[in-house]
Amino acid sequence: MKGYINVPESFKCKGCKHCGSAPIISLAEHGLYQLKCPNSDNHYQTNPGEIDIDDWNIHNTLLYDHDYDPKIIAGDNNISL
């Protein structure tokens, strides 16, 4: 047994933002599961429990890591100085 499960292709999961690998479903503590990078435990992992693909996708988006102005993201180009 491999000790993990590959995420089915029917679920749209982004690759790890550090190495690009597809996430795996891994057994975590207390018999719970989590999504994690197969290459390193130092890369992002979801919290143990429900398999949260949305959380994985949000945290593996480069936009999430930067502190952008929400007005610019929303398209409000009328920024006054």
Side-chain angles (χ1 to χ4, degrees):
M1 188 164 148
K2 298 185 281 189
Y4 65 89
I5 301 169
N6 290 323
V7 177
E9 290 184 19
S10 59
F11 293 98
K12 301 299 180 197
C13 287
K14 294 185 177 190
C16 174
K17 67 180 172 186
H18 299 287
C19 66
S21 296
I24 57 170
I25 301 170
S26 176
L27 184 61
E29 57 196 28
H30 306 292
L32 301 174
Y33 292 91
Q34 69 185 146
L35 283 175
K36 63 183 266 180
C37 176
N39 293 329
S40 176
D41 286 341
N42 293 328
H43 296 176
Y44 183 73
Q45 302 178 20
T46 60
N47 291 325
E50 185 177 321
I51 299 169
D52 194 348
I53 294 173
D54 289 334
D55 180 56
W56 171 268
N57 286 338
I58 288 169
H59 283 87
N60 282 286
T61 301
L62 294 177
L63 181 63
Y64 183 81
D65 289 340
H66 300 288
D67 187 22
Y68 290 105
D69 184 348
K71 291 180 182 178
I72 294 173
I73 294 172
D76 183 5
N77 294 327
N78 298 326
I79 299 173
S80 57
L81 300 175

